[in-house]
Amino acid sequence: MDQFNLLTWAQTNDYDIVGQAILPARKETRVPLPKGFSAPIYKEILEALGIPDGLVWRHQAEALEAVDEGFSNAVVSTATASGKSLIFQLASIHKILSHPEAGHRALVFYPTLALNNDQHQSWKKIFEAAKFDPSHLAVIDGSVPVADREAILKHAKVALMTPDVVHAWLMGNLRSEAVQGFLRGLALKTLDEAHIYDGVFGSYMSYLLKRVAFAQAVLNPHYREGFHDQIIMATATLPEPREFAMSLTGKDAWVIGPEFDTSPQYERSVYLIRTPDKRRNTAMRLLVNNLAAQEESGGMLTFAASRVKANELTDDGNAYLRKLGSKFRLAAHMGGFDKTYRQDLEQEFREGKVKGLIATPTLDVGVDFANVKTIVIDGLPENPGRFRQRFGRIRKGGTCYIIEERSNLQRQGTVLDEYLRREAYQPILYLVNKKIQAEQAQCLLDEMDALDVVDVEEYAKAVSWPRGFVDTLRDLA
């Protein structure tokens, strides 16, 4: 097939290229790990993760140094693919190894099952390099049968969980010896993709963190505030990370912001294409088909506006590729897919056996693909943060195409360059909402009963609760 030319394609189909931008490259800055991470085991972990020279990006080293003593909460707010996972992974291993007598454990919250599964692979490499017993790594999400969870958690030093599992299962089983043992040793909590904790979901998460901290304090006679409740938050799109950390966790935090990001950036291009009314779906289909047939377009991620559109684009694209006799194929990617099928699909994409994934928002966060060269987005996201999450999947240079009928930029009276400079939306929490407080207070009372705690005032002393919550708790008690 002839090489794809965007201008010719747009003119032929009566589409307008209404915005284009080139984001320049940036060199990386790499340094050794800080002194607290000088033991050979950390170099072995880096080698297992494909970093043979033992050097990390400077912002990674600075973040690790900040949490080394165990008293600093941290927010790492740097770009997609800037190594945030490595920071909290090494911090978790360090917490466990530096206090062996305390039996420290770490809990990592991944907001989606897909992300939980994806990150499990890098954690497995770390545990193998550290020569930890495989049973010390627990992955517990909605795909794990309830009957198997206690046995999985019993020996865990690091547990990867989704928030719903922590709320409904972990905190709902506080009489379990396995649950009590884990919480007794828990000393570090990580929230990956922290910007997702917005609105009601974020409000529930804030209370969940506080309820977990109280259970820790009850179960651990040596519990020290600021040490056993240390929190690391990782995000690519928080405009005010420190303020959000204070709101979500009730604790101050040390911030590594985008201005300190020392990871490399490769030159990337963005094109905004406007179609006549009612021709956006056709434009998406034609663009995906043309790009999928191109050898040089590399791995391709397409973000569809719905599950129906994702399936339609996949079916039409594969029919087009078969007609050309192309060796490539496309595949839909959705959150409802079977765990094993989705993992196999993602691996086939990494290996180039699948040319492109056509996804719903399940791939908005976290799942790591190093081979993406092309992004296609069905509609410019109103929130620049969501666009950055998607655009950031282009790791080593490439092109992003956005198809629209009526531009969000046009309605806002702005242009693409300005949009790309805008901050993401700051998450909003409703911590003093009476309905939310009543629901969380009832959860808390159930947990008090499981922990044999009868003094309501003890909750007020152990955790800094939002205004009005303790009164709600008293009323329900």
Side-chain angles (χ1 to χ4, degrees), residues 19-27 79 264-271 384 387-388 390-400 402 416-422:
Q20 63 182 88
I22 296 177
L23 282 72
R26 179 187 68 203
K27 292 184 178 180
Q265 291 287 344
Y266 298 84
E267 185 175 284
R268 295 167 294 170
S269 302
V270 184
Y271 293 94
F387 169 76
R388 289 192 192 111
R390 296 174 173 184
F391 181 56
R393 300 315 178 83
I394 302 175
R395 293 272 298 273
K396 297 184 177 180
T399 306
C400 174
I402 307 160
L416 183 61
D417 282 342
E418 183 180 335
Y419 174 85
L420 296 176
R421 291 193 297 268
R422 283 184 176 177

Side-chain angles (χ1 to χ4, degrees), residues 190-202:
T190 293
L191 281 66
D192 196 17
E193 305 292 347
H195 56 274
I196 204 169
Y197 298 113
D198 187 18
V200 173
F201 179 46

